[in-house]
Amino acid sequence: MQIDTKFSPWNIKAVDVVAKLNSSEDSGLSTQTVLAKQQTSGKNILVLRQPVSVLSILYQQVKSIIVILLLTAAIISFFLGQWIEALSVLIVLVINTFIGFITEYKAIRSMEALRKLGKTTSTVLRDGSYKTIDADELVPGDIINFEAGDIISADARIIRASRLSADESSLTGESVPIEKDTEIISADTILAERKNMLYRGTFLTNGSGSAIVTATGMQTEIGKIAKVTQEAHDELTPLEKRLESLGKKLIWISLAIAFFVAISGILSGKDLYLMLETAVALAVASIPEGLPIVATIALAKGMWHLAKKNVLVNKLSAVETLGATSIILTDKTGTLTENKMSLSQVSTLKKSYHESEFEMLRQERELVECLKIAVLCNNAILNHEIQGGAAGDPMEIALLTGATKAKIFKPQLLEDFPELKEEAFSPESRMMATYHQAKENIFVAVKGAPEAIIKKAKFIQDADQIKEIDNDIRIRLEQLNMQLAQQGLRVIAVASKQVKNTEEAPYENLTFQGFLGLLDPARADIQDSIAKCHKAGIRVAMATGDQAHTAKKIAKDVELDASKQYLVLTGKELGEQENWNDTLKENLANTAVFSRVSPTQKLNLIEFFQKNNFVVAMTGDGVNDAPALKKADIGVAMGLRGTQVARDAADMILGDDKFTSIILAIKQGRIIFSNIQKFVIYLLSCNISEVLIVSIATIVNAPLPLLPLQILFLNLVTDVFPALALGMGEGDETYLYRPPRKKEDTVIGQRKWYLIFFYGGLITLSVLAAYFITLNGSYDNASTAVTVSFLTLGFAQVFHVFNMRLTKSNIIFNDITKNSYIWGAVLLCFVLLLGAVYISYLREILSLCELSKNEWLTVGIFSLLPLLIGNIANLFGLGINE
């Protein structure tokens, strides 16, 4: 159903919009109506990103510098009249392009699949009951409910609004949240001033309400913009930039070496055309053409692996940063705890009522009054018609569930006390209030943070009397609050009052009623996860809005602090960042728990740790956490209980809200970075050996140990397949037992360069030794010597992949030998190398010959030498030590 372009829902009453769209405020749309509308209006989706086409992926392969160099080699061969070699070079070109195409195709398709995993949901009224559905299924006429933190998934006319405001900066550019209401406005009102409308892509910063969907998909205001403005090209990640920079440097170095080899060979009297071919082949061989491909496939594979573990990573750069995480600032509820709250007890100054006594003592006035407020001042829904049986904040659901044990039910209570108005919870007041009709007067129910309500309360309920709170009573209330918090309970205070009208301020002259103690135990698996963090050199600190005593109790239960000090800093003690002194800054470095912290203080903490060279991961779930999630090096949002705003701001979303998933992600990040490092070291050491072998032979005026096509063949066979296999390594638990790498660490540091030249030198010396022994031996056959050097280099490079194990790993059982892709690559390389000698057509093209047993023995001994010496060097800490 497409809306009439003259239809201006902001210019007519909400009830008329409902009627125009054939909907109902009481029952919403029927299933049959929804299906009919979906046939005409389509899915509620934006066509922002066209899938990358096959031709586009192919073009990315053929436009590279590698292809240009290979084409140059083919052209030179054609000019020299060597048609077979030219054709062979073109075959190499096709195979290289095919490999690049296939790997990049899989990486891109993996990324596109990952985008489909992050679904936005909406609470919608259909067939008379509320249910949670994918936002893609919304149609014009749907009645939706929302609250602070929700992202709006379609354009909608507001029906009901309670302290509602929305951030519309993504649509209008206006950075200040816009207050919303239900009043009719002029038809010619500009979009930025339509206060009774909500628009797709914006989010609620405060309040709650309901609205009727007026436009979906490409018919929304942001959809109209999307038709004209397509998204910008994706930027390269920091890792990709570093790899691209490394590749460019290697190209120029390779060209310089190739030029030197060509000139040296020509000056020493070697054939001009042969040296030109050799120079081009060396240039091609020395460039790690698989560098960006393997990096992309390693990152994409890691992201997909995490997605299967309920961890959705939004961008490749986040995977890279994960491995460097050195501190995790975590919230408490749902991350360290079960997020399965239960109302454990209700306490007043005179008596405490435990959950098991609610039914038996349901006639007790004080208990009933506290539970009544908890039910009325509550936005959750307890209804078995809803998927999961309940909808809303877990704490509020726990309050409703607890009240049912005393036979207090929300629907029945609302019949006696109809709700007139809601004062939504705000971080400033840390309270929430609802106004209800109660015969002649209006009853105000208030719940919130104990400190806030104790401070605001003027009276206290004492049996059937109400008396003024004096200093002694206030101290006793504070002590009772502390006692409950020390038991690990999340404490909520409740209060009430009677007023004449809904315009009276909600938080003045309150009568204190009691405390509600909610129990949310620590997750059973969290202690082991935090212990792994400590072993991995990662510090864990809690930043929560909960009370200090409650937070400290949970911190001790999960053994959060490796030092066992459990220092606590409150938001009040932190204060403003500009007032932080040296003593406070020293304490920050050792604090395990930050309680009652504001969103601004979370930002200040992140900035402090970042300035002190920490790589910060931050967990959050609320709209107020969004700035901190963006500020952190890695923002981690909760997938189950997190708001849409928090998910949108985060780099990583935990589908199961488990802290253990963060550990999995950090481990995967370390493995991926390690795989890329191994691949680069392996590939560059192999390439350098090829360059050195020809360069040294040219300098000493010896016959060439390798011919151009042989170099290209080896570059294809031994470089590509083992390198790809290294990028697919699964790693093991040992990756968690090392300190995190520094954020500024490069892919290849100075020590790694030494290692590359060490390995490259080993292979070079082994090949040249085998070559000259054969050349100067009794065989005295140049073709035989070249074949020996070719096979020695090929097998040495294949065996060299086993040098890529970590220094401290077991020589037999390690992450390389456990990688099934490695064994597949080794087997394939063996078949191709043997095929090069024993398939007559291939042998002729590559100018090789068959070898005797003694010559094969020479190949075997010298090809294994680099592996043997590399493992001996490993014993002395000269291997890949992270």
Side-chain angles (χ1 to χ4, degrees), residues 395 399 447-450 453 490-494 514-518 547:
M395 178 199 72
L399 294 177
K447 79 172 190 296
I453 289 185
R490 182 174 181 180
V491 186
I492 304 294
V494 289
F515 295 110
L516 311 175
L518 295 117
Q547 295 189 82

Side-chain angles (χ1 to χ4, degrees), residues 174-195:
E174 175 60 60
S175 58
V176 178
I178 308 298
E179 292 186 4
K180 297 290 183 176
D181 55 41
T182 61
E183 299 302 315
I184 299 173
I185 53 178
S186 171
D188 58 1
T189 304
I190 63 171
L191 187 145
E193 296 177 3
R194 296 174 192 166
K195 293 189 175 183

Side-chain angles (χ1 to χ4, degrees), residues 247-258:
K248 287 178 179 177
K249 289 176 184 176
L250 290 171
I251 286 173
W252 288 110
I253 293 170
S254 303
L255 291 174
I257 292 172

Side-chain angles (χ1 to χ4, degrees), residues 391-402:
D393 182 87
M395 178 199 72
E396 294 193 330
I397 292 172
L399 294 177
L400 294 184
T401 305

Side-chain angles (χ1 to χ4, degrees), residues 586-606:
E586 277 185 36
N587 288 339
L588 288 178
N590 300 307
T591 300
V593 177
F594 300 96
S595 71
R596 292 296 198 215
V597 287
S598 68
T600 303
Q601 288 173 327
K602 286 184 180 182
L603 280 175
N604 294 341
L605 287 172
I606 291 169

Side-chain angles (χ1 to χ4, degrees), residues 792-809:
T792 302
L793 176 59
F795 285 112
Q797 289 181 342
V798 173
F799 294 138
H800 177 48
V801 75
F802 295 103
N803 278 329
M804 297 300 104
R805 70 179 179 88
L806 298 178
T807 302
K808 296 180 181 179
S809 61

